[in-house]
Amino acid sequence: MNGIENWFVLTDIFGDDFSFVNSQIECINSQPFAGNVWFDIIISSAVKKPPKKWNEWEKVYLRIDFFTANETYFNIVNGNEFIIRRCDVTNKEDRYNVTIEGVNGNVVKLDFWGARIQNVKPLVYNTKYNRYEVL
C-alpha cells in the first residue's frame, strides 16, 4: 500500500491480496502539534503464513503510525465500533492521502509523509475476562 514503508509485513502474514476491509479500528490517537497520528487495528482476516513465534491466534492486533500528518479529519458518528468498509491511499506529489470509511458512516482522512506498521501481535479470546488479549 502506498506510503506505508513496511507494507510487506502484512502481505507476508496475510497474503498479497490483503486489505484492511472488515478490520476494526480500536483506537485513534493524534498529536496534532507533533504531526503524529496512530491507529490501533484489530484484523480478522485469515492468517496465511504466521510468524514462527506465534503458537495460536484468533485475530491480529497492529498499530500504524503516520508521520508528519496534517489536514486530519475525523467524523466518528458511531463511537461503538469502527469497522472499515473502504481504505484508499493516494499519492499527491511527495505526500500521501488516506481515506478510511466505516460501515456505520465513520470517516477518517489525513495527509501524511510516511507510515509504518508496528507491534503486530496475535490475539486470543479470554473467556474469563470476555475480551481478546495479546499473547
Side-chain angles (χ1 to χ4, degrees), residues 11-133:
T11 58
D12 286 352
I13 294 171
F14 298 105
D16 292 332
D17 59 344
F18 175 74
S19 74
F20 285 111
V21 172
N22 295 322
S23 297
Q24 179 177 348
I25 296 177
E26 186 72 13
C27 184
I28 299 173
N29 290 291
S30 176
Q31 296 174 323
F33 297 117
N36 298 321
V37 175
W38 61 93
F39 300 160
D40 293 332
I41 298 179
I42 296 176
I43 300 170
S44 299
S45 299
V47 172
K48 295 181 180 174
K49 186 179 175 191
K52 292 178 183 176
K53 61 184 175 181
W54 290 12
N55 295 321
E56 62 178 307
W57 63 89
E58 293 173 30
K59 296 184 179 197
V60 177
Y61 163 86
L62 65 85
R63 176 174 157 171
I64 302 178
D65 291 323
F66 295 93
F67 307 106
T68 64
N70 59 22
E71 299 182 27
T72 57
Y73 171 78
F74 303 109
N75 185 21
I76 310 299
V77 177
N78 182 345
N80 293 333
E81 285 188 338
F82 191 141
I83 306 297
I84 299 172
R85 181 178 61 89
R86 187 173 70 87
C87 179
D88 292 323
V89 178
T90 57
N91 190 341
K92 183 178 117 182
E93 297 174 16
D94 64 338
R95 298 185 64 80
Y96 298 93
N97 296 87
V98 63
T99 301
I100 301 171
E101 296 176 0
V103 297
N104 293 336
N106 300 326
V107 177
V108 172
K109 295 181 183 182
L110 60 103
D111 177 85
F112 66 99
W113 178 78
R116 186 158 182 76
I117 304 295
Q118 308 277 7
N119 301 327
V120 180
K121 297 178 182 176
L123 294 173
V124 174
Y125 194 76
N126 184 330
T127 55
K128 181 178 178 181
Y129 299 111
N130 294 322
R131 65 180 183 203
Y132 284 95
E133 294 182 345

